Amino acid sequence: MPSRALKPSVIATLGLLAGGHSQAADWNSRWQQEWAGTQDHRSQKMESLLDVEWNGNPTGQLAITAIVRLRLDTADQLNDDQQRPENFSNLSAPLARGEHGELSLRELYADAEWFNSYWRIGKQQVVWGQADGLKVLDVVTPQSYREFILDDFDDSRIPLWMINAEVPVGEEGILQLLWIPDTTYHELAAPGTDFAITTPLRVPQPPTSTTAFITGVDQLEADKPDHWLTDSDFGVRYSVFANGWDITLNYLYHYRDFAVNYQTLNNGQLTVAPQYERSHLLGATASNAFGDWTLRTEVGWYSHSYHLADTITADGQHQGIAESPELSSVIGLDFQGWSDTFISVQWFQSLLLDYDDHVTRDRQDHTLTLLAERRFANETWTLSLRGQYSLNQRDQLWRPRLSHLFTSNIELWLGADFFQGDSDGLYGQFDQRDRITIGFEWGF
């Protein structure tokens, strides 16, 4: 689908306020309509998405942005009818939700300049890192996985209430400070829907040695942090442009957005008790252009990561989970040497530094990605192909797409999502979920 333009940075937005004069409010809206049909001849979704954005400058020194989203889906193959899914905090939950869609306050924030610093306060998205398709450092804002990773990140991110300050450091540097009291985490696809997670890499599976003794499974609700102060997340990022390189140094103290599925076995009853766990994240990015080529690198070290393991004991000492520090990274290479053509390849790696042989995933995990894009007819037509391939599981996802800019504010597209692989793989679990998509977006 068409990628939304990134929100202007706090500094760029406040540049509009330099004159100190109030401006009239303005409205912007977009209507996106998409149908998806599956390989077994079902309508997976018939979704209407309406975003209404209001921008105001009431005092001349304060800019306010509000975005309300209405999402309706008559196909009802992806929806969860819970009024407030357990991953949301009270403040971030949808205003209304049912089996055919929801109404939500998407974003609401104020921009201001105080103490020679630039502030964005309210419900917003924060994007770290430069990786495309998969994430290494882009973990500040949680994500909705109701369509797995097929939805555009700008649409699937779940904005959080936070204070976001940017402090200029020297001539080229910016120090970003984040305080996030919002205890909202990833939204997973509901059980029974098309993209509900089933791979044993993510879903607990009873060890083979104990299967015969299990008489029932009790799935508890997640033990979710809920105190706005003691359960807050904190982040710091320093960014600078030096000798042709865009460089950032990142730190985040946060709860991991996926709950950890602890398991206990007692008298034949298997109990799964999800719980959110904290971790420190240290990371860095660097990118530079060399003629027609751009090199991008990104690395992140997690002090704690949690992975499923085939060890469960009745005494509770082994709860089907192994903990390890994790080192994740991505190397990306972009090429723009041919007219109207863009090609990008990426290599993602993940290494568990304290590996346990009982862990379900491999010690090292590798994924390759491809993005090839070609524009035609004065950039009114775009043909693209996205691909992701797991070297460990040998499963893959391919996404061809043809789009047409019908007018300056109307885009049409035809696309497809093809999964291939074994049901144990992250992509292969959806091997029977191939689909075709048709849609349009109208900005007004």
Side-chain angles (χ1 to χ4, degrees):
M1 62 183 61
S3 60
R4 291 178 59 193
L6 291 178
K7 293 290 181 184
S9 69
V10 177
I11 293 178
T13 299
L14 288 165
L16 300 176
L17 307 180
H21 301 292
S22 62
Q23 302 173 2
D26 64 88
W27 296 82
N28 298 285
S29 302
R30 68 162 183 148
W31 172 25
Q32 184 183 99
Q33 187 74 40
E34 186 171 62
W35 170 84
T38 64
Q39 64 182 48
D40 54 354
H41 310 293
R42 291 184 297 110
S43 286
Q44 185 185 79
K45 77 171 183 176
M46 175 58 79
E47 183 180 81
S48 301
L49 189 69
L50 177 63
D51 282 350
V52 179
E53 179 174 341
W54 177 85
N55 296 278
N57 181 205
T59 67
Q61 298 297 324
L62 188 70
I64 298 176
T65 297
I67 303 175
V68 174
R69 169 171 292 182
L70 175 64
R71 181 179 60 80
L72 298 174
D73 185 356
T74 58
D76 192 28
Q77 298 297 308
L78 302 172
N79 299 322
D80 181 358
D81 60 1
Q82 296 183 67
Q83 179 63 28
R84 189 179 75 82
E86 62 182 29
N87 65 293
F88 285 98
S89 67
N90 291 330
L91 284 177
S92 289
L95 302 174
R97 189 166 190 166
E99 60 180 337
H100 292 295
E102 67 181 33
L103 175 67
S104 61
L105 177 62
R106 179 69 177 165
E107 297 184 41
L108 175 61
Y109 56 81
D111 290 317
E113 181 177 359
W114 298 318
F115 314 111
N116 296 319
S117 301
Y118 306 95
W119 300 74
R120 177 168 288 180
I121 301 174
K123 192 176 187 183
Q124 58 189 282
Q125 298 187 40
V126 169
V127 180
W128 281 4
Q130 303 174 356
D132 179 50
L134 298 174
K135 298 184 176 185
V136 175
L137 296 182
D138 186 16
V139 296
V140 176
T141 308
Q143 184 176 345
S144 171
Y145 287 94
R146 59 185 296 273
E147 290 186 75
F148 187 48
I149 60 173
L150 304 181
D151 203 1
D152 186 86
F153 278 172
D154 284 338
D155 285 325
S156 63
R157 287 192 188 93
I158 302 174
L160 299 177
W161 294 93
M162 68 178 78
I163 295 178
N164 176 4
E166 294 186 0
V167 183
V169 179
E171 295 184 0
E172 299 287 348
I174 297 176
L175 186 66
Q176 182 184 42
L177 305 172
L178 302 174
W179 174 45
I180 310 172
D182 191 339
T183 55
T184 295
Y185 306 105
H186 287 326
E187 178 183 19
L188 303 183
T193 60
D194 279 3
F195 293 109
I197 301 299
T198 58
T199 170
L201 296 173
R202 299 292 176 85
V203 177
Q205 308 290 323
T208 304
S209 59
T210 64
T211 302
F213 303 100
I214 295 178
T215 58
V217 177
D218 186 13
Q219 176 72 51
L220 304 182
E221 288 192 0
D223 181 10
K224 192 179 81 67
D226 59 5
H227 194 281
W228 66 273
L229 182 58
T230 57
D231 292 323
S232 294
D233 294 346
F234 302 91
V236 179
R237 181 183 69 169
Y238 175 71
S239 57
V240 66
F241 182 76
N243 298 321
W245 289 87
D246 285 306
I247 299 171
T248 72
L249 302 175
N250 308 63
Y251 170 74
L252 185 66
Y253 178 56
H254 69 135
Y255 279 99
R256 302 296 298 263
D257 286 316
F258 284 111
V260 182
N261 288 305
Y262 291 107
Q263 306 144 67
T264 56
L265 183 61
N266 188 16
N267 295 325
Q269 183 75 16
L270 179 66
T271 300
V272 181
Q275 182 174 325
Y276 291 90
E277 299 284 4
R278 278 201 181 274
S279 179
H280 298 273
L281 168 62
L282 292 174
T285 69
S287 64
N288 199 348
F290 303 91
D292 296 329
W293 301 85
T294 299
L295 176 65
R296 296 177 288 109
T297 62
E298 189 171 330
V299 62
W301 172 83
Y302 289 94
S303 62
H304 299 81
S305 67
Y306 301 86
H307 307 274
L308 292 174
D310 61 356
T311 54
I312 305 176
T313 58
D315 59 11
Q317 292 187 4
H318 300 279
Q319 297 182 287
I321 295 293
E323 183 271 328
S324 171
E326 180 180 358
L327 184 66
S328 296
S329 61
V330 60
I331 299 175
L333 192 61
D334 306 333
F335 176 70
Q336 293 179 285
W338 299 328
S339 178
D340 299 320
T341 301
F342 177 78
I343 299 174
S344 175
V345 293
Q346 298 177 124
W347 174 30
F348 289 82
Q349 314 97 40
S350 169
L351 171 66
L352 300 185
L353 301 177
D354 185 13
Y355 188 70
D356 186 325
D357 289 337
H358 293 283
V359 174
T360 303
R361 61 155 277 182
D362 295 333
R363 177 186 181 90
Q364 298 185 58
D365 188 78
H366 302 269
T367 301
L368 300 178
T369 74
L370 169 70
L371 169 59
E373 187 174 87
R374 174 75 174 178
R375 299 182 183 273
F376 305 90
N378 294 322
E379 299 188 347
T380 59
W381 288 89
T382 302
L383 179 64
S384 66
L385 176 65
R386 292 178 179 270
Q388 299 184 13
Y389 179 76
S390 169
L391 294 176
N392 294 69
Q393 302 298 321
R394 299 292 193 268
D395 59 340
Q396 52 200 299
L397 166 63
W398 293 98
R399 309 186 66 192
R401 185 174 182 272
L402 177 65
S403 64
H404 175 53
L405 194 61
F406 184 70
T407 65
S408 61
N409 62 338
I410 297 178
E411 186 168 9
L412 316 174
W413 67 84
L414 170 66
D417 304 309
F418 298 118
F419 297 90
Q420 185 177 7
D422 188 82
S423 60
D424 288 349
L426 187 62
Y427 309 117
Q429 64 180 320
F430 302 122
D431 187 60
Q432 301 302 311
R433 294 291 186 265
D434 294 349
R435 67 180 192 175
I436 295 175
T437 60
I438 302 173
F440 72 85
E441 181 174 302
W442 174 31
F444 58 96

